[in-house]
Amino acid sequence: MDDDDGFREFVEVRYADLLRTAYLLTGTRDAAQDLLHGALLKAMRRWRRLDEPVAYVRKILVNERTSRWRRIGSRELLTATVPDRARPDTTEAVVVRDELMTALQKLPARMRAVLVLRYWEDQSEADTAALLNCSVGTVKSQAARGLTRLREVLASEEGSAGVRPASSVPVVPPTPPLPPQNMIVGGNA
């Protein structure tokens, strides 16, 4: 069945990037995988009519994450067991990324989406505005407020933990963490 017109190749090439975006929007690997798989299913239905498939899938990711946030709110999910973590890494970069991811999850969904698209996905203000269906001015203000909020959250967490001064914490790490790549893409097991 070779009538996918490049969809399978698109998924193989762009999956890791899109999964990273979904992970940054949701904060957990499982939620990111669910979000991305749903987005890819929606994109597959319209695949032959898409001019910009990456932008289309990113827009689906943001819209679906926003819809889920509105449905379930921003409640914490409590579990009986602590989720497994990857093997510990003591490098400073990992610590900074973890602090940043924690702080990022404390932001409202729309503000987080602006920061993820602008600074992790390196989208222009115009592209971000188009993906979020808002004005460029809104993207600028949300980005500025989001960065200020991130700095405040990071500074307050450091003040209570006494780790290091806020000025030494970079706002955006050079590379965000990637979820493990142990998933089967496609349908062939």
Side-chain angles (χ1 to χ4, degrees), residues 106-154:
K106 294 181 180 179
L107 298 179
R110 184 136 175 120
M111 193 176 284
R112 184 177 359 168
V114 167
L115 293 178
V116 167
L117 291 171
R118 284 284 293 129
Y119 299 106
W120 270 278
E121 293 296 322
D122 200 27
Q123 296 291 311
S124 69
E125 290 168 343
D127 291 342
T128 302
L131 285 169
L132 297 174
N133 289 329
C134 65
S135 70
V136 172
T138 300
V139 169
K140 289 180 181 180
S141 66
Q142 289 288 301
R145 289 181 187 136
L147 290 174
T148 300
R149 226 51 196 266
L150 270 179
R151 288 184 188 107
E152 291 170 356
V153 169
L154 288 170

Side-chain angles (χ1 to χ4, degrees), residues 89 98 172:
D89 188 353
D98 187 51
V172 179

Side-chain angles (χ1 to χ4, degrees), residues 8-17:
R8 181 180 300 271
E9 181 181 339
F10 168 78
V11 171
E12 289 171 356
V13 171
R14 301 300 278 174
Y15 189 82
D17 294 334

Side-chain angles (χ1 to χ4, degrees), residues 45-93:
R45 292 182 196 127
R46 300 187 58 138
W47 180 251
R48 293 173 193 212
R49 293 175 278 175
L50 296 180
D51 294 328
E52 295 289 332
V54 175
Y56 185 75
V57 173
R58 282 188 182 133
K59 187 169 188 165
I60 293 171
L61 289 171
V62 170
N63 289 343
E64 284 297 309
R65 174 61 182 125
T66 302
S67 294
R68 289 181 187 179
W69 177 79
R70 285 182 181 146
R71 271 195 310 266
I72 65 170
S74 58
R75 295 174 270 164
E76 287 186 38
L77 298 176
L78 303 176
T79 61
T81 59
V82 177
D84 291 335
R85 294 255 182 204
R87 63 187 163 118
D89 188 353
T90 58
T91 62
E92 181 68 16

